[in-house]
C-alpha cells in the first residue's frame, strides 16, 4: 500500500526540512511530493539536498511562479496516480497540520471512508493562535457552504485530507475550476455528489509559527462566488 503526502510550497525555507523529517519519522513508510512554485528563498534547493538522504521517498516538482494552490494539488494528484499510490494526502508545510495525524486520516480511509478530512469544526472549534476575525471568517465559510450546497460537512475548506485512489481516478481533475481555497470546497463537494463516503476526523489546527501566510482576500472572494456556481453545475465522472 503506497501512501503519498503532497506538500505545496512557496517560501517555506523555515519549515520544509522540519516537516519532511517529521513525516518520515512516522511509522508506515509515507512518501512525500513537494510541489514548489519557484520559491526565491531556496525551498526547492533544500528539498534537493534532502533527496540525497531520503532517496526515492522524497520527490520534488518545480513550477515557474505562483500558479495557485489548486493547480499544485491537481498536478500532484495526477503524479500520484501515474506512480501507483493507493492513498494521497494534502498537507501544509507550516505545521498547522500535525504530521502525527496522518495515520488517523489513513485509518479512516482504511475503515471505509473514500475521503478523510482533518476537521477543525466537527467537534466545536479546534483552532489555536488564529486571530478571532480569521476564525469567524473560516467557520462561517463552512456554514455558508452547508447552507448553499446542502453539504453536511463541518469543515469544507479544510486542507488536511486523505483521498483514496478511486476518488481521484473518478473525479474529472481537468474540470476543477477554482484555484485558491475554493478548490478545497469544490473537490469535497464533487466527491460527495459522486457518491463517495466522506469522514471528518477531528484535529487541532495550529497557526504557523514560522514563515508567512499565503491567505488573501481574493482567495475568499473566489470561494464565495465559486460556491454559488457549484450549486448549479453538473458533476461528471472521468470518461
Amino acid at each position: 500500500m503506497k501512501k503519498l503526502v503532497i506538500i505545496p510550497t512557496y517560501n517555506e525555507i523555515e519549515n520544509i526540512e522540519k516537516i519532511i523529517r517529521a513525516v518520515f519519522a512516522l511509522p508506515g513508510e509515507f512518501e512525500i511530493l513537494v510541489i514548489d512554485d519557484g520559491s526565491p528563498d531556496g525551498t526547492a534547493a533544500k528539498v534537493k539536498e534532502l533527496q540525497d538522504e531520503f532517496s526515492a521517498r522524497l520527490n520534488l516538482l518545480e513550477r515557474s511562479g505562483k500558479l495557485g494552490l489548486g493547480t499544485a494539488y491537481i498536478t500532484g494528484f495526477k503524479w500520484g496516480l501515474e506512480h501507483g499510490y493507493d492513498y494521497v494526502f494534502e498537507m501544509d508545510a507550516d505545521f498547522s497540520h500535525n504530521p502525527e495525524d496522518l495515520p488517523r486520516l489513513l485509518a479512516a480511509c482504511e475503515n471505509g471512508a473514500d475521503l478523510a478530512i482533518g476537521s477543525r469544526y466537527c467537534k466545536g472549534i479546534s483552532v489555536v493562535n488564529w486571530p478571532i476575525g480569521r476564525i469567524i471568517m473560516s467557520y462561517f465559510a463552512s456554514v455558508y457552504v452547508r447552507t448553499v450546497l446542502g453539504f453536511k460537512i463541518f469543515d469544507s475548506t479544510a486542507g488536511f485530507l486523505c483521498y483514496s485512489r478511486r476518488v481521484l481516478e473518478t473525479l474529472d481533475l481537468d474540470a476543477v475550476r477554482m484555484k485558491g481555497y475554493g478548490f478545497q470546497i469544490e473537490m469535497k463537494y464533487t466527491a460527495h455528489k459522486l457518491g463517495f463516503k466522506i469522514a471528518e476526523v477531528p484535529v487541532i489546527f495550529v497557526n504557523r509559527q514560522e514563515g508567512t501566510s499565503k491567505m488573501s482576500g481574493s482567495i475568499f472572494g473566489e470561494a464565495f462566488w465559486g460556491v454559488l456556481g457549484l450549486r448549479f453545475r453538473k458533476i461528471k465522472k472521468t470518461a
Side-chain angles (χ1 to χ4, degrees):
M1 182 177 63
K2 296 181 67 179
K3 304 174 288 295
L4 180 69
V5 180
I6 301 175
I7 304 177
T9 55
Y10 183 77
N11 285 348
E12 292 290 353
I13 192 64
E14 299 95 342
N15 296 303
I16 192 62
E17 179 172 0
K18 289 180 285 188
I19 198 73
I20 287 170
R21 292 190 182 280
V23 172
F24 287 154
L26 298 169
E29 292 294 312
F30 290 89
E31 298 181 23
I32 293 174
L33 172 64
V34 175
I35 303 178
D36 187 72
D37 274 6
S39 298
D41 69 347
T43 298
K46 174 55 69 174
V47 176
K48 290 176 183 176
E49 177 185 320
L50 292 168
Q51 283 181 311
D52 293 335
E53 177 179 350
F54 293 111
S55 186
R57 292 183 67 191
L58 178 58
N59 305 278
L60 171 67
L61 293 178
E62 294 183 81
R63 308 195 304 169
S64 299
K66 296 178 69 175
L67 302 178
L69 181 75
T71 65
Y73 276 126
I74 293 297
T75 298
F77 294 156
K78 291 179 177 180
W79 191 94
L81 291 174
E82 290 171 3
H83 288 80
Y85 289 91
D86 302 291
Y87 295 100
V88 178
F89 299 78
E90 294 183 16
M91 191 176 75
D92 290 347
D94 61 7
F95 284 92
S96 56
H97 305 143
N98 186 345
E100 293 184 1
D101 287 324
L102 287 169
R104 298 176 59 230
L105 297 181
L106 176 63
C109 284
E110 290 178 326
N111 289 324
D114 299 301
L115 167 59
I117 300 170
S119 178
R120 299 163 290 184
Y121 305 129
C122 67
K123 299 291 184 181
I125 298 177
S126 298
V127 177
V128 177
N129 293 335
W130 251 10
I132 187 64
R134 189 167 173 186
I135 293 174
I136 291 170
M137 184 180 295
S138 174
Y139 179 80
F140 281 100
S142 287
V143 173
Y144 169 73
V145 171
R146 291 200 301 274
T147 302
V148 173
L149 299 180
F151 184 35
K152 308 302 181 184
I153 296 296
F154 286 96
D155 196 354
S156 56
T157 62
F160 191 24
L161 310 168
C162 176
Y163 286 94
S164 68
R165 180 182 181 88
R166 58 183 171 271
V167 175
L168 298 178
E169 287 178 325
T170 303
L171 270 66
D172 184 354
L173 297 176
D174 291 324
V176 177
R177 300 179 186 177
M178 288 190 267
K179 295 183 179 182
Y181 280 82
F183 161 83
Q184 303 290 6
I185 301 168
E186 184 174 356
M187 287 291 293
K188 296 178 186 70
Y189 182 66
T190 302
H192 163 72
K193 293 296 287 184
L194 293 176
F196 288 107
K197 182 178 179 181
I198 301 175
E200 290 191 86
V201 177
V203 300
I204 297 174
F205 180 96
V206 181
N207 195 29
R208 66 162 61 236
Q209 298 298 308
E210 297 184 272
T212 304
S213 173
K214 314 306 186 293
M215 189 68 65
S216 71
S218 62
I219 287 173
F220 281 100
E222 180 204 44
F224 179 87
W225 295 110
V227 167
L228 292 175
L230 277 177
R231 180 69 177 82
F232 302 102
R233 188 186 308 174
K234 185 175 181 181
I235 305 296
K236 296 181 180 180
K237 297 181 180 181
T238 54

